[in-house]
Amino acid sequence: FLLDKTNSNSLRVPFVHAVFPEAIFIHLLRNPLDVVQSAYRRWQEPPDFGYIFRKARKFPILDAFGYASRYAKNAIQNLFGYGNKSWGQVYKGMDEDLKTKQLLEVCSIQYVKSVEKAIESLREINKDKIYTIYYEDFVMDPEKCLREIAVFLNLDHKSFSNVDTSIITTKNIGKGARNLSNEEKSVV
């Protein structure tokens, strides 16, 4: 098995499917408020070099130069107090949106475009190769969800019985609703 949870790969479904035509896709969806609030926070935080190096170890090498160039450009612009720090998937028209829209709205657009692109791409694949699960369901009852995934994959339902689920927490469920004001929620 190969498991990759890189967010940007949700935008590369056709490529992954071309390289691994027998791949099974587990599509994980999450409450938009939680995702957007997390992205919004990330956009505003100073660079976390530990996080960057951890991500770099797993980052697709062919995308590294473009990503590093964009990151360096944004870091230099931010150092001198102009420009917008970029975080997450970039969509067509994003630079213009960053000039004309609230950051929270841009984060919302990022989320919507990413999910729409993934769903659009997954529609091109045999539905027998796609299993959709919700993050909230998974963290609320990981054992049940793992059993369901095992069944979907035609594995013995005990296949994931040795997985340590004690590290899975529900603390991030509803975080967006808790941390965003009503006005911010209406933007999302």
Side-chain angles (χ1 to χ4, degrees):
F1 291 101
L2 171 66
L3 175 66
D4 184 10
K5 66 175 192 77
T6 307
N7 282 346
S8 56
N9 279 337
S10 68
L11 305 178
R12 295 187 192 98
V13 170
F15 172 76
V16 173
H17 183 60
V19 173
F20 302 104
E22 296 304 313
I24 304 294
F25 292 82
I26 299 176
H27 186 207
L28 180 72
L29 292 169
R30 189 172 177 197
N31 180 309
L33 282 176
D34 292 342
V35 175
V36 171
Q37 184 273 334
S38 176
Y40 184 58
R41 181 177 37 80
R42 281 292 209 179
W43 272 83
Q44 298 175 81
E45 290 177 344
D48 176 349
F49 292 105
Y51 171 81
I52 293 166
F53 289 123
R54 285 190 306 278
K55 291 295 271 188
R57 289 191 1 237
K58 300 174 187 170
F59 200 82
I61 192 70
L62 296 176
D63 294 337
F65 180 75
Y67 182 82
S69 298
R70 194 170 65 248
Y71 185 86
K73 174 188 162 207
N74 290 330
I76 290 167
Q77 286 178 337
N78 287 325
L79 183 65
F80 292 104
Y82 65 94
N84 286 300
K85 179 177 78 168
S86 178
W87 189 87
Q89 284 85 12
V90 176
Y91 62 86
K92 187 175 183 173
M94 187 168 162
D95 288 339
E96 186 58 34
D97 283 353
L98 285 167
K99 295 174 189 170
T100 61
K101 299 181 185 319
Q102 297 176 48
L103 178 57
L104 188 60
E105 186 175 359
V106 172
C107 293
S108 298
I109 294 168
Q110 267 184 312
Y111 170 79
V112 168
K113 288 190 177 284
S114 294
V115 170
E116 286 175 347
K117 176 68 174 167
I119 290 171
E120 175 187 316
S121 298
L122 288 168
R123 282 190 185 128
E124 301 299 317
I125 297 170
N126 181 331
K127 65 182 176 187
D128 294 337
K129 293 186 173 209
I130 302 163
Y131 184 80
T132 300
I133 187 169
Y134 292 88
Y135 170 84
E136 293 79 9
D137 293 339
F138 182 79
V139 299
M140 292 298 288
D141 194 347
E143 289 88 2
K144 176 183 179 232
C145 291
L146 288 170
R147 282 191 306 273
E148 290 171 356
I149 291 169
V151 168
F152 179 77
L153 296 173
N154 293 317
L155 300 172
D156 181 335
H157 72 281
K158 296 178 184 173
S159 297
F160 299 120
S161 61
N162 63 343
V163 173
D164 179 10
T165 59
S166 68
I167 61 171
I168 298 172
T169 176
T170 60
K171 72 178 182 178
N172 290 323
I173 293 177
K175 198 172 188 179
R178 288 190 303 273
N179 293 335
L180 294 171
S181 69
N182 287 336
E183 182 180 331
E184 290 171 323
K185 289 176 202 171
S186 71
V187 171
V188 175

